[in-house]
mmCIF file of all heavy atoms in Angstrom:
data_model
loop_
_atom_site.group_PDB
_atom_site.id
_atom_site.type_symbol
_atom_site.label_atom_id
_atom_site.label_comp_id
_atom_site.label_asym_id
_atom_site.label_seq_id
_atom_site.Cartn_x
_atom_site.Cartn_y
_atom_site.Cartn_z
ATOM 1 N N SER A 126 64.386 -56.402 -173.040
ATOM 2 C CA SER A 126 64.644 -56.366 -174.476
ATOM 3 C C SER A 126 64.466 -54.949 -175.030
ATOM 4 O O SER A 126 64.408 -53.977 -174.263
ATOM 5 C CB SER A 126 63.752 -57.388 -175.185
ATOM 6 O OG SER A 126 64.433 -57.955 -176.279
ATOM 7 N N GLY A 127 64.391 -54.836 -176.337
ATOM 8 C CA GLY A 127 64.323 -53.499 -176.937
ATOM 9 C C GLY A 127 63.028 -52.775 -176.582
ATOM 10 O O GLY A 127 63.024 -51.565 -176.313
ATOM 11 N N THR A 128 61.936 -53.511 -176.566
ATOM 12 C CA THR A 128 60.639 -52.897 -176.241
ATOM 13 C C THR A 128 60.688 -52.291 -174.844
ATOM 14 O O THR A 128 60.274 -51.142 -174.633
ATOM 15 C CB THR A 128 59.516 -53.965 -176.275
ATOM 16 O OG1 THR A 128 59.601 -54.669 -177.505
ATOM 17 C CG2 THR A 128 58.151 -53.343 -176.123
ATOM 18 N N TRP A 154 58.327 -48.919 -186.776
ATOM 19 C CA TRP A 154 57.848 -50.129 -186.113
ATOM 20 C C TRP A 154 56.580 -49.717 -185.343
ATOM 21 O O TRP A 154 56.620 -48.760 -184.552
ATOM 22 C CB TRP A 154 58.928 -50.611 -185.155
ATOM 23 C CG TRP A 154 58.625 -51.839 -184.367
ATOM 24 C CD1 TRP A 154 58.155 -53.025 -184.844
ATOM 25 C CD2 TRP A 154 58.813 -52.013 -182.956
ATOM 26 N NE1 TRP A 154 58.042 -53.927 -183.818
ATOM 27 C CE2 TRP A 154 58.437 -53.331 -182.651
ATOM 28 C CE3 TRP A 154 59.263 -51.185 -181.929
ATOM 29 C CZ2 TRP A 154 58.493 -53.846 -181.358
ATOM 30 C CZ3 TRP A 154 59.325 -51.685 -180.645
ATOM 31 C CH2 TRP A 154 58.942 -53.003 -180.362
ATOM 32 N N ASN A 207 63.125 -50.418 -189.446
ATOM 33 C CA ASN A 207 61.946 -51.300 -189.551
ATOM 34 C C ASN A 207 60.717 -50.422 -189.701
ATOM 35 O O ASN A 207 60.470 -49.588 -188.827
ATOM 36 C CB ASN A 207 61.838 -52.159 -188.273
ATOM 37 C CG ASN A 207 60.611 -53.063 -188.276
ATOM 38 O OD1 ASN A 207 59.861 -53.132 -189.238
ATOM 39 N ND2 ASN A 207 60.419 -53.759 -187.170
ATOM 40 N N ASP A 235 66.938 -46.281 -181.299
ATOM 41 C CA ASP A 235 66.461 -47.639 -181.076
ATOM 42 C C ASP A 235 67.360 -48.545 -181.915
ATOM 43 O O ASP A 235 67.358 -48.470 -183.153
ATOM 44 C CB ASP A 235 64.997 -47.760 -181.524
ATOM 45 C CG ASP A 235 64.443 -49.145 -181.255
ATOM 46 O OD1 ASP A 235 65.175 -49.982 -180.700
ATOM 47 O OD2 ASP A 235 63.277 -49.401 -181.614
ATOM 48 N N ALA A 237 67.760 -52.136 -182.522
ATOM 49 C CA ALA A 237 67.261 -53.504 -182.348
ATOM 50 C C ALA A 237 68.029 -54.505 -183.220
ATOM 51 O O ALA A 237 67.820 -55.712 -183.098
ATOM 52 C CB ALA A 237 65.769 -53.557 -182.673
ATOM 53 N N TYR A 238 68.897 -53.993 -184.117
ATOM 54 C CA TYR A 238 69.490 -54.895 -185.120
ATOM 55 C C TYR A 238 71.008 -54.757 -185.251
ATOM 56 O O TYR A 238 71.558 -54.963 -186.337
ATOM 57 C CB TYR A 238 68.842 -54.628 -186.491
ATOM 58 C CG TYR A 238 67.356 -54.919 -186.509
ATOM 59 C CD1 TYR A 238 66.425 -53.929 -186.233
ATOM 60 C CD2 TYR A 238 66.878 -56.196 -186.785
ATOM 61 C CE1 TYR A 238 65.062 -54.197 -186.221
ATOM 62 C CE2 TYR A 238 65.523 -56.477 -186.782
ATOM 63 C CZ TYR A 238 64.624 -55.461 -186.495
ATOM 64 O OH TYR A 238 63.279 -55.738 -186.492
ATOM 65 N N SER A 268 68.849 -54.314 -178.004
ATOM 66 C CA SER A 268 68.122 -55.581 -177.869
ATOM 67 C C SER A 268 69.040 -56.721 -178.295
ATOM 68 O O SER A 268 69.810 -56.572 -179.251
ATOM 69 C CB SER A 268 66.909 -55.553 -178.793
ATOM 70 O OG SER A 268 66.399 -56.854 -178.977
ATOM 71 N N ALA A 270 67.528 -59.611 -178.964
ATOM 72 C CA ALA A 270 66.556 -60.540 -179.553
ATOM 73 C C ALA A 270 67.049 -61.041 -180.912
ATOM 74 O O ALA A 270 67.148 -62.253 -181.146
ATOM 75 C CB ALA A 270 65.201 -59.852 -179.685
ATOM 76 N N LYS A 271 67.373 -60.133 -181.803
ATOM 77 C CA LYS A 271 67.698 -60.536 -183.179
ATOM 78 C C LYS A 271 69.159 -60.954 -183.299
ATOM 79 O O LYS A 271 69.460 -62.001 -183.859
ATOM 80 C CB LYS A 271 67.448 -59.390 -184.164
ATOM 81 C CG LYS A 271 66.278 -58.507 -183.851
ATOM 82 C CD LYS A 271 64.970 -59.081 -184.305
ATOM 83 C CE LYS A 271 63.840 -58.241 -183.749
ATOM 84 N NZ LYS A 271 62.540 -58.558 -184.233
ATOM 85 N N ARG A 279 64.074 -61.892 -173.526
ATOM 86 C CA ARG A 279 63.808 -60.492 -173.178
ATOM 87 C C ARG A 279 65.013 -59.841 -172.520
ATOM 88 O O ARG A 279 64.972 -59.463 -171.350
ATOM 89 C CB ARG A 279 62.559 -60.370 -172.273
ATOM 90 C CG ARG A 279 61.356 -61.172 -172.696
ATOM 91 C CD ARG A 279 60.977 -60.960 -174.131
ATOM 92 N NE ARG A 279 60.519 -59.607 -174.438
ATOM 93 C CZ ARG A 279 60.796 -58.994 -175.590
ATOM 94 N NH1 ARG A 279 61.524 -59.600 -176.529
ATOM 95 N NH2 ARG A 279 60.342 -57.794 -175.822
HETATM 96 C C1 LIG B 501 62.704 -51.240 -184.557
HETATM 97 C C2 LIG B 501 62.476 -52.210 -183.453
HETATM 98 N N1 LIG B 501 62.648 -51.802 -182.204
HETATM 99 C C3 LIG B 501 62.474 -52.626 -181.165
HETATM 100 C C4 LIG B 501 62.086 -53.929 -181.364
HETATM 101 C C5 LIG B 501 61.916 -54.728 -180.104
HETATM 102 O O1 LIG B 501 62.196 -56.023 -180.115
HETATM 103 P P1 LIG B 501 62.425 -56.793 -178.739
HETATM 104 O O2 LIG B 501 61.561 -56.148 -177.711
HETATM 105 O O3 LIG B 501 62.018 -58.172 -179.046
HETATM 106 O O4 LIG B 501 63.864 -56.639 -178.418
HETATM 107 C C6 LIG B 501 61.864 -54.402 -182.656
HETATM 108 C C7 LIG B 501 61.392 -55.762 -182.913
HETATM 109 O O5 LIG B 501 60.871 -56.123 -183.923
HETATM 110 C C8 LIG B 501 62.079 -53.519 -183.733
HETATM 111 O O6 LIG B 501 61.923 -53.899 -184.996
#
Side-chain angles (χ1 to χ4, degrees):
S126 215
T128 309
W154 180 50
N207 178 4
D235 182 2
Y238 297 92
S268 164
K271 325 278 171 172
R279 314 309 294 144

